[in-house]
Amino acid sequence: MANTVTVKELVDSSGYIVLSGEEFLGNKITTSEISRPGVELTGFFNFYPSARIQLLGKTELTFIERMTAEERLIVMRRLCSKETPCFVIGRKLQAPAELTKAAQEAGIPILSAQSRTTRVSSNITNFLEGKLAERVSMHGVFVDVFGMGVMITGDSGVGKSETALELIQKGHRLVADDRVDLYQHDENTLIGEAPGILRHLIEIRGIGIIDVMTLFGAGAVKQTNEVNLIVNLELWSKDKKFERLGSTEEIVNILDVGIPKITIPVKTGRNLAIIIEVAAMNFRAKTMGYNAAETFERNLEVLIKENAQKND
């Protein structure tokens, strides 16, 4: 679980311009919440959330311009708390000289963003929620199949990576092999990505580790993806019953997000890549309101009623 993000990571990901305090880019950001100091500019600091990124837009800067230079310096110094990671100014507006002075004294960088302030707030929040979110790791292979995030799980040696390689050859994209890092984006969305050391790599027994991007091109890999479906590969056994109609759906809760799961028996001669493609398309059809299992059950009920009427 990541506890902090540096201001430099924010700058590198966003392209924001450092107006001052470049030597302080190592400051830690510990929360994804953003503060737009409004009442604080009037001198009310009773509930000042100093540990948040402080975002200033046209409204705040226009109010600041109405102050005298002495008043501005007093307020800016109170804004520059030792817990404050950085200031961000939207719309490429200039930082007041008093803020630059106070921030330099307190060791706080000031960043400039091009977008309007509400967009900047949204972008920063999304970035920080992804970086600061609770994370778990799962053993498996994660691929993008027809735009659906499919995580392939199963015992070691069942054929997960080989199946993923065939899917890549068919034009689908690898997100992660062997280990998938997962975090909650919101209450309904789970995001998966590869650990940095494993990014773009896949291990095939007998060959070793291969770089998918080098062999298949940049279009064969993806950095992150929403997890939509879990496909569990399980060695076939005559003693185990597998779902035949698909009328019952198993849900796995990961970080409080429910993910549908299906189990596919692995048996000699089965083309798992094609089966997973069909599973992804079938899942998409269900999300669009069409369920083949329900259609079959309705047809079966009609047939039973028709046969019953014939026998009467």
Side-chain angles (χ1 to χ4, degrees):
M1 177 178 177
N3 294 316
T4 62
V5 176
T6 65
V7 177
K8 186 177 187 309
E9 289 179 86
L10 174 62
V11 171
D12 291 343
S13 70
S14 62
Y16 294 160
I17 297 171
V18 182
L19 296 180
S20 67
E22 191 164 357
E23 64 271 30
F24 307 125
L25 293 182
N27 287 3
K28 304 291 186 181
I29 305 169
T30 58
T31 176
S32 61
E33 295 182 280
I34 307 296
S35 172
R36 291 192 65 174
V39 295
E40 290 84 2
L41 297 180
T42 68
F44 186 79
F45 279 83
N46 291 33
F47 301 100
Y48 175 48
S50 58
R52 302 179 186 178
I53 291 177
Q54 304 300 316
L55 176 60
L56 303 177
K58 190 173 183 179
T59 302
E60 292 81 8
L61 294 179
T62 301
F63 185 86
I64 290 171
E65 288 176 358
R66 300 174 59 185
M67 302 178 184
T68 66
E70 183 178 353
E71 289 173 335
R72 281 197 293 267
L73 185 58
I74 292 173
V75 173
M76 295 303 109
R77 280 176 170 162
R78 294 190 70 182
L79 283 177
C80 294
S81 169
K82 63 180 181 179
E83 295 92 6
T84 304
C86 68
F87 287 88
V88 180
I89 299 178
R91 296 179 178 270
K92 296 181 69 176
L93 298 171
Q94 293 299 311
E98 294 79 7
L99 175 60
T100 302
K101 180 178 180 180
Q104 191 68 29
E105 292 172 352
I108 303 171
I110 302 176
L111 313 179
S112 173
Q114 182 173 357
S115 304
R116 63 182 186 272
T117 314
T118 51
R119 176 66 61 82
V120 174
S121 177
S122 176
N123 291 342
I124 293 176
T125 300
N126 288 339
F127 170 76
L128 293 178
E129 284 183 345
K131 288 292 185 179
L132 297 173
E134 180 182 356
R135 292 170 182 262
V136 296
S137 291
M138 286 188 64
H139 178 66
V141 181
F142 191 29
V143 288
D144 179 304
V145 181
F146 297 127
M148 308 292 293
V150 179
M151 186 158 66
I152 306 171
T153 63
D155 294 336
S156 180
V158 77
K160 299 184 296 295
S161 297
E162 290 80 0
T163 301
L165 183 60
E166 186 173 353
L167 287 168
I168 293 166
Q169 287 182 312
K170 292 166 72 66
H172 306 294
R173 294 186 285 180
L174 173 74
V175 181
D177 177 60
D178 187 57
R179 199 181 94 202
V180 186
D181 286 348
L182 303 165
Y183 66 90
Q184 184 182 13
H185 179 67
D186 56 43
E187 60 273 11
N188 297 315
T189 308
L190 187 71
I191 301 296
E193 63 183 6
I197 194 173
L198 300 176
R199 192 167 295 147
H200 306 157
L201 303 179
I202 189 168
E203 179 190 358
I204 304 297
R205 282 178 172 80
I207 297 177
I209 297 175
I210 62 175
D211 189 320
V212 172
M213 189 166 73
T214 300
L215 294 183
F216 297 95
V221 296
K222 195 173 183 182
Q223 296 291 93
T224 64
N225 206 87
E226 179 182 349
V227 182
N228 302 112
L229 178 67
I230 296 175
V231 176
N232 184 56
L233 302 183
E234 189 172 317
L235 292 175
W236 181 85
S237 171
K238 63 180 181 180
D239 299 323
K240 182 175 177 59
K241 292 184 178 180
F242 294 94
E243 179 66 31
R244 296 288 300 271
L245 300 180
S247 55
T248 59
E249 187 176 78
E250 182 180 358
I251 300 294
V252 177
N253 281 300
I254 304 174
L255 295 174
D256 296 326
V257 179
I259 306 296
K261 175 184 175 182
I262 62 174
T263 297
I264 295 177
V266 177
K267 192 176 181 181
T268 303
R270 300 198 83 190
N271 191 317
L272 296 177
I274 291 179
I275 293 174
I276 289 176
E277 282 184 322
V278 172
M281 290 188 288
N282 189 55
F283 176 78
R284 171 169 285 176
K286 286 183 179 180
T287 62
M288 297 174 68
Y290 178 77
N291 190 317
E294 292 178 356
T295 301
F296 172 78
E297 290 175 354
R298 285 196 300 269
N299 292 342
L300 182 61
E301 289 176 1
V302 171
L303 181 61
I304 292 173
K305 289 179 180 179
E306 290 177 348
N307 290 336
Q309 291 173 355
K310 291 178 181 179
N311 294 331
D312 287 343

